[in-house]
Amino acid sequence: MEHTETLTRYMAKFVQGLVEAGVRDVVISPGSRSTPIAMTCAEYDEINHWVNLDERSAAFFALGMAKERRRPVALVCTSGTAAANYYPAVIEAFYSRIPLVVLTADRPHELRDVGAPQSIEQLNLYGEYVKWFHDLALPEGSEKMLQYAKTTAGRAVQEAILGNDGPVQINLPLREPLIPDFTLPGLWEADSATKERSPVIGKRAIDRGYLDSLIEKLKGFSKGLIVCGPQMDPVLGEALAYLAKRIGAPVLADPLSQLRANKYEKNNIIETYDAILKHDEIKQTLQPEFIIRFGAMPVSKPYLQWLTSLNAPLHFIVEPEAGYREPAGVETTAIYADPVIFAEQLAERLDQPIVENSWLETWKNMNQIAKDLLLAESPEEGMNEGHAVVKLAEVIPDQSILYVGNSMPIRDVDTFFMTTPKAVDIMANRGANGIDGVVSAALGTGANGKPVTLLIGDLSFFHDMNGLLIAKQKNLNITVVLINNDGGGIFSYLPQASHPEHYEELFGTPMGIEFQPFVEAYGGSYCLAESWDEYTNALAESYVSSGLSVIEVRTRREENVPYHRAKWESVKEAIGKQLKG
Amino acid sequence: MEHTETLTRYMAKFVQGLVEAGVRDVVISPGSRSTPIAMTCAEYDEINHWVNLDERSAAFFALGMAKERRRPVALVCTSGTAAANYYPAVIEAFYSRIPLVVLTADRPHELRDVGAPQSIEQLNLYGEYVKWFHDLALPEGSEKMLQYAKTTAGRAVQEAILGNDGPVQINLPLREPLIPDFTLPGLWEADSATKERSPVIGKRAIDRGYLDSLIEKLKGFSKGLIVCGPQMDPVLGEALAYLAKRIGAPVLADPLSQLRANKYEKNNIIETYDAILKHDEIKQTLQPEFIIRFGAMPVSKPYLQWLTSLNAPLHFIVEPEAGYREPAGVETTAIYADPVIFAEQLAERLDQPIVENSWLETWKNMNQIAKDLLLAESPEEGMNEGHAVVKLAEVIPDQSILYVGNSMPIRDVDTFFMTTPKAVDIMANRGANGIDGVVSAALGTGANGKPVTLLIGDLSFFHDMNGLLIAKQKNLNITVVLINNDGGGIFSYLPQASHPEHYEELFGTPMGIEFQPFVEAYGGSYCLAESWDEYTNALAESYVSSGLSVIEVRTRREENVPYHRAKWESVKEAIGKQLKG
């Protein structure tokens, strides 16, 4: 078989292997060395291809897409530093357990480590941040090697989703000439598209004996808590609602737990624990005897600090597959089990509530008090970050996604986004909590057509403005609420703020740029919302318009801090009174 | 010693260690965990600090600065994916041999790998792309550990510049509270600034016996070539001019060899070998018997292809320290020696030229013919990429830097930028040849105040637009010649161009954005040059203005290819005639 035919058939098999294992989308960044794999993906109808120029943005775009579709997404780039630009998203994917299949084109072996142009050492480029790495053999035309290309592609997908989901890398050495010939007969297997070879993976289930002994242990106590941190399983909400009802416990629900939205029963959901647990006196009053945590550690720092001060006799962490996520440094028992099955089985085996009703009622009362105060409009004039979330929660559409930036926005959503019957998937980059790549990740979640609202600060928006290009090119729908406090708002809450000498330069970091021209250059519509009416009108309009809409909310860092502190103070006072009374 | 004092003294020692070892600049990206090191750098007068928000841009900015200052530059970022954004520049620095001291703030040991927020595994984050890695001990206040902090900082700088220059990483675990107290007495050693502890590193010198035997070997032949690829030593030009004169050989000088500019004697410099060697007939006529190459492999692809077809009996590659840069796969002898000393010693030991004059004259004649043709204005109307370089070379100021983007611009500079007595440092990211980070690298070279001209294509400019923020914030002077062919111009010259089906989407990749609003949003002045007069006037004006000036030259990909091909064809014909005649 001559070179071009070998190359073409090998690549065709490889891409079919990806598709049969469950990949439906590939995000391609342009380049020369990657021509065979890029063109094959573009040629094969069973896989959607997306072109995203900046590899850093491309990888976060793929991450968002994989998150929303809950299936692995492939990435293709050329050789050299292109692949290194994927690194931030690969790390985020590793920690947030999102399956990405990274395909890096490479020079062939004879051009490695000899100073050839645009060639770097690409083996194990992502170190321990990929779950699996393979250096593909150079294309060969034998039946055996064509089969190898296909099974290896499938293997990569399998490795990405077995155990905790995560990224994998296949490095593809390719020799010139690089152009495949798609006129060759018999390139595509006839039934490939309908084959579904994605692996069948059993879920961890706990035996009944342990469940019974666990219930016996829990029965020794009456103050229990269910906690749910960031997690992506859309049906866990229902299972936990059932468990909470049967066991009688309040559920501290992180904004990324998927428990604050949707039509589940939410009687026991406590959304405001972050505000409640900011106060030492209240913290000391609340001494749970057992905690069962699902998902990752919650976003709330007060919760983390409270944990370290507690001495709960029983503390369980339910992990679906593997991993260790307990940064408070307290003693816990890990339960490696499918959270939905575990919650349901535990609930079913309970004959009566374990948690005393007064404990549940205390939490529910505190929550109601805090909610009323947090949702109330501030008497002061002007826009602020907290109420921007309250208003957003009112108008955000059903069946949509809210993507939340790190630093302040995720904390504001934690504080101000309460339960809603609307099916709003709240997502964020909480694997490594970076401010990078957030625009692209949000756009990726919306690539499938679901409406997306991105709530993001100015620094984070700036960091990934390149991500907006694909919004323009593909006319993707996205509503961006840009909270512009001209710099790093979060530092105003930290001790750095009391050191004026280096503060603005190192932490405040005002950029002093206007965002309107950037948004418009990317074909977006821009609105500066200076009142809550303007804000909600602009939001409503953005949801019926196509393309990119950016609604900027300008807030002043020096006003936000007192605003938030006053809210928290009022929560403290009201709850303190209630606890005493 | 209590926490804050320990932290402060430890950091002060560390930063003094950097300074005493020769670091004068640090590029900081904002963050919380990095507060101690960032504030200490900001506080200490002996080190300049630069704040650059996007870590990817920051690292390339540091790379450019290190290149121009020819000394190591430090980088500071916070924990998490911030550090991963440095990866592309770290790789570029590794391959282009630029010393960077990467300082990554980290969570302390008890918060590693336990799901703590914004904490990722940072040990050996850059794999084999750093020459040295060290995980610093947590701050301790003993005399011994303060000394350790200082010597370790010095050690890092030393590792960055011993052997081939390159990047190193120190990971700094830091516990809260993070704010140093600079009011402590005796923080700074009195004579620290005047201490100079950067290591004294001997240069490799070849013994006379070998030099004599080498000369004897060379004397067996009469057709010799000196080739100089990309290299940064500013005095090699003079040494090679001397060697070329004594040995009688033509010097094929890459645009990044530093040999085309400056006031060296350039009698034997051949700039147009790329155009000459594009033609098979000419290539076959030219059969050198020995080649002595300095620097990396030249940019020219025709040169590389010619090499693989040659069977030169003697082929030497002079490497200053270490490394293997011979991608043509031909047999060579490596000479590990300081290039300047080697060239001078070799030249001095020659009693008469080895190379026959007719060989030298053939090359010089070909070069003159090619030069005349390449420099001639095209009779057609409209702007083109080649002539943009010709005109730029005419007006570019003395004592300035020309930073060149990868893909087409570096090839155009190779073809169209001829020798000049002006002291123009021509630089490019040729370690890994990426299109990423070029804007920031160029800005970094100009941070010291030297005028910089950046010649760059639209994709590469787009990729690093975030880099422009620091130009606005620090009012850095830079002239950008933006060659806008609305996409990936280089692919028009590659076989991909003949596959219209996927071409525009995967390779042409037109962005369809206007650059003027971006430039203006960053406070720059913008000019669309539609004639050569407008172009040279705008260039001249930019050199007397401060801040960012972008001069856009719009070219059409479908016109550039015939333009360049016609030029090369004319060179072929004229030289063919001369060789026959």
Side-chain angles (χ1 to χ4, degrees), chain A residues 188-511:
Chain A
W188 311 108
E189 296 175 38
D191 52 349
S192 183
T194 55
K195 272 184 210 158
E196 181 60 68
R197 288 200 204 279
S198 63
V200 181
I201 303 172
K203 292 178 174 175
R204 298 192 189 279
I206 300 299
D207 70 60
R208 291 169 184 194
Y210 177 77
L211 291 171
D212 288 336
S213 74
L214 175 61
I215 289 170
E216 281 315 301
K217 272 187 206 160
L218 297 175
K219 278 184 174 167
F221 303 98
S222 59
K223 293 179 179 171
L225 275 183
I226 295 171
V227 175
C228 191
Q231 68 88 34
M232 295 291 296
D233 190 335
V235 298
L236 182 60
E238 194 139 11
L240 289 192
Y242 181 49
L243 174 62
K245 192 177 173 179
R246 299 276 293 185
I247 205 165
V251 180
L252 312 194
D254 186 88
L256 302 172
S257 66
Q258 316 299 324
L259 263 62
R260 293 197 189 173
N262 276 301
K263 294 206 172 64
Y264 316 125
E265 190 196 300
K266 303 204 188 68
N267 285 341
N268 294 13
I269 296 282
I270 310 295
E271 311 104 319
T272 63
Y273 60 97
D274 179 84
I276 295 170
L277 296 172
K278 274 193 201 299
H279 308 292
D280 285 343
E281 267 180 59
I282 302 175
K283 262 156 61 172
Q284 283 158 21
T285 318
L286 301 167
Q287 295 285 332
E289 294 162 328
F290 71 81
I291 298 172
I292 306 174
R293 193 191 92 202
F294 295 82
M297 177 59 76
V299 166
S300 165
K301 197 167 177 178
Y303 173 73
L304 182 81
Q305 289 168 335
W306 183 50
L307 263 197
T308 60
S309 75
L310 286 179
N311 210 355
L314 295 177
H315 191 164
F316 300 94
I317 293 179
V318 183
E319 277 280 7
E321 283 285 347
Y324 189 95
R325 299 189 292 192
E326 205 305 288
V330 297
E331 289 178 350
T332 58
T333 302
I335 297 176
Y336 291 99
D338 181 77
V340 173
I341 297 173
F342 174 75
E344 284 174 354
Q345 287 185 335
L346 189 62
E348 271 160 22
R349 300 183 86 75
L350 289 164
D351 40 16
Q352 57 182 33
I354 290 175
V355 175
E356 65 184 25
N357 198 50
S358 64
W359 169 257
L360 174 61
E361 287 306 316
T362 299
W363 277 96
K364 285 169 78 168
N365 288 339
M366 290 191 299
N367 193 51
Q368 195 56 54
I369 293 169
K371 259 172 96 156
D372 291 345
L373 288 164
L374 292 168
L375 291 176
E377 198 150 341
S378 166
E380 285 112 61
E381 295 292 313
M383 308 292 283
N384 69 73
E385 302 176 8
H387 213 65
V389 174
V390 173
K391 289 288 182 188
L392 173 60
E394 287 170 18
V395 298
I396 197 167
D398 195 9
Q399 301 292 337
S400 77
I401 293 161
L402 172 60
Y403 216 94
V404 188
N406 280 315
S407 206
M408 282 314 293
I410 187 66
R411 290 177 170 81
D412 285 325
V413 167
D414 196 2
T415 309
F416 295 99
F417 194 102
M418 307 305 174
T419 53
T420 170
K422 289 185 276 194
V424 179
D425 265 8
I426 310 182
M427 301 181 182
N429 290 353
R430 292 304 285 186
N433 302 5
I435 63 163
D436 45 347
V438 179
V439 172
S440 294
L443 282 164
T445 63
N448 217 2
K450 238 183 175 179
V452 183
T453 309
L454 168 63
L455 177 74
I456 190 167
D458 53 323
L459 287 186
S460 189
F461 185 71
F462 165 79
H463 211 289
D464 190 26
M465 272 201 293
N466 276 7
L468 295 175
L469 183 63
I470 199 171
K472 172 176 188 295
Q473 292 181 323
K474 293 272 178 184
N475 197 32
L476 300 178
N477 297 337
I478 187 166
T479 298
V480 180
V481 175
L482 172 60
I483 303 289
N484 187 353
N485 50 31
D486 202 16
I490 197 167
F491 292 107
S492 310
Y493 298 86
L494 297 178
Q496 283 88 339
S498 50
H499 292 261
E501 194 185 349
H502 304 295
Y503 180 75
E504 278 299 308
E505 186 185 18
L506 294 181
F507 306 107
T509 57
M511 287 188 285

Side-chain angles (χ1 to χ4, degrees), chain A residues 35 54 87 121 125 129 496, chain B residues 35 87 121 125 129 496:
Chain A
T35 295
D54 180 337
Y87 205 20
E121 177 61 45
L125 187 66
Y129 292 112
Q496 283 88 339
Chain B
T35 295
Y87 205 19
E121 176 60 46
L125 188 65
Y129 291 112
Q496 283 87 337

